[in-house]
Amino acid sequence: MAPIWVLPEHFALLDAHGARRVVALSSTSRFTKSGSSDSQEQSVAERLAEAEARLQAWAEARGVEWVVLRPTLIYGLGRDKNIVEIARCIRRFGFFPVFGRADGLRQPIHAQDVAGACLAALQAVDVANRAYNISGGETLPYREMVVRVFAALGCPPRLLAVPLPAFRVAVSLLHCLPRYRHWSSAMAERMNQDLVFDHHDAQRDFAFEPRAFVLSQEDVA
């Protein structure tokens, strides 16, 4: 498992081992970050799109079946950089900053459901040479997602609504802490954007059935 943009470096290895089907993980960030105000996020979207195209071209030139899975916001097992980062911020500061109403819709998907989708796509019959968006089993506003992190930590929800200019200043200050260097004001802007993707095709073709957004203690560890 590696970022999809690393995959082209290993095409020769796949050739040598006679790969017949490749299931690769991309991300819905290919779409959601393409119009970001952050140039680094735009670069991520471009790299994802380019890597998907390179995989498709390589596979089709060799008669290898390819499947690309694009998860939404991944969480789980205390190892992600989404929910765990929210939890760390809450533990450190006792509150979580949001921009505006923070009512943009999200579909968090558990890492185990992503892994299950990979295995299912590897084994299913009629999935070759296709890309699938895979999203979580529940759609909820960003604010509610954060409130559930507070609940999982056993803390009363304290969300601090911050104007975007102040949020930008706060983010620049957080960059002094290594763990928050990947934060950007574009993240705040997206708090009020709906990032919703239909996973009906995956449900139909390889019985994808993701769980609702229910956090365990391990998920926020």
Side-chain angles (χ1 to χ4, degrees):
M1 304 303 297
I4 191 172
W5 51 69
V6 176
L7 185 58
E9 299 174 16
H10 303 286
F11 283 159
L13 178 66
L14 296 174
D15 272 333
H17 285 276
R20 304 309 308 154
R21 177 180 291 185
V22 175
V23 178
L25 279 179
S26 183
S27 172
T28 53
S29 292
R30 169 184 173 170
F31 308 112
T32 61
K33 293 182 178 179
S34 61
S36 173
S37 61
D38 187 312
S39 60
Q40 291 185 344
E41 291 191 346
Q42 291 178 23
S43 177
V44 167
E46 291 169 1
R47 293 174 72 191
L48 289 168
E50 179 185 358
E52 288 187 20
R54 291 184 66 184
L55 169 61
Q56 180 177 350
W58 169 84
E60 292 181 353
R62 289 160 178 77
V64 175
E65 296 179 351
W66 61 271
V67 182
V68 169
L69 302 181
R70 304 188 190 109
T72 51
L73 184 151
I74 301 176
Y75 74 98
L77 309 178
R79 296 175 178 270
D80 63 272
K81 290 187 177 181
N82 296 306
I83 297 304
V84 167
E85 292 303 323
I86 294 174
R88 285 198 177 106
C89 183
I90 292 170
R91 286 194 182 99
R92 181 182 290 265
F93 303 111
F95 66 90
F96 189 79
V98 296
F99 168 52
R101 293 175 55 85
D103 57 0
L105 298 179
R106 295 295 185 272
Q107 297 166 305
I109 181 170
H110 198 280
Q112 290 176 337
D113 290 334
V114 175
C118 290
L119 291 173
L122 192 64
Q123 299 168 2
V125 177
D126 297 320
V127 300
N129 306 332
R130 293 196 58 179
Y132 294 88
N133 297 325
I134 55 173
S135 50
E138 184 175 1
T139 302
L140 69 168
Y142 189 95
R143 172 181 291 271
E144 173 61 21
M145 183 178 74
V146 175
V147 167
R148 294 197 193 180
V149 178
F150 275 98
L153 293 172
C155 302
R158 295 190 178 95
L159 280 72
L160 178 64
V162 181
L164 187 56
F167 205 108
R168 288 180 175 134
V169 173
V171 166
S172 65
L173 294 174
L174 282 172
H175 282 174
C176 298
L177 302 173
R179 190 169 295 280
Y180 301 105
R181 283 178 183 163
H182 67 285
W183 283 32
S184 71
S185 58
M187 296 169 61
E189 295 166 4
R190 280 197 302 277
M191 288 181 185
N192 293 286
Q193 297 172 3
D194 293 343
L195 308 182
V196 176
F197 293 86
D198 182 17
H199 60 245
H200 173 74
D201 288 349
Q203 186 178 45
R204 178 197 64 213
D205 292 352
F206 51 89
F208 177 65
E209 292 289 346
R211 71 195 71 186
F213 184 58
V214 178
L215 292 167
S216 69
Q217 289 299 305
E218 185 179 23
D219 291 331
V220 294

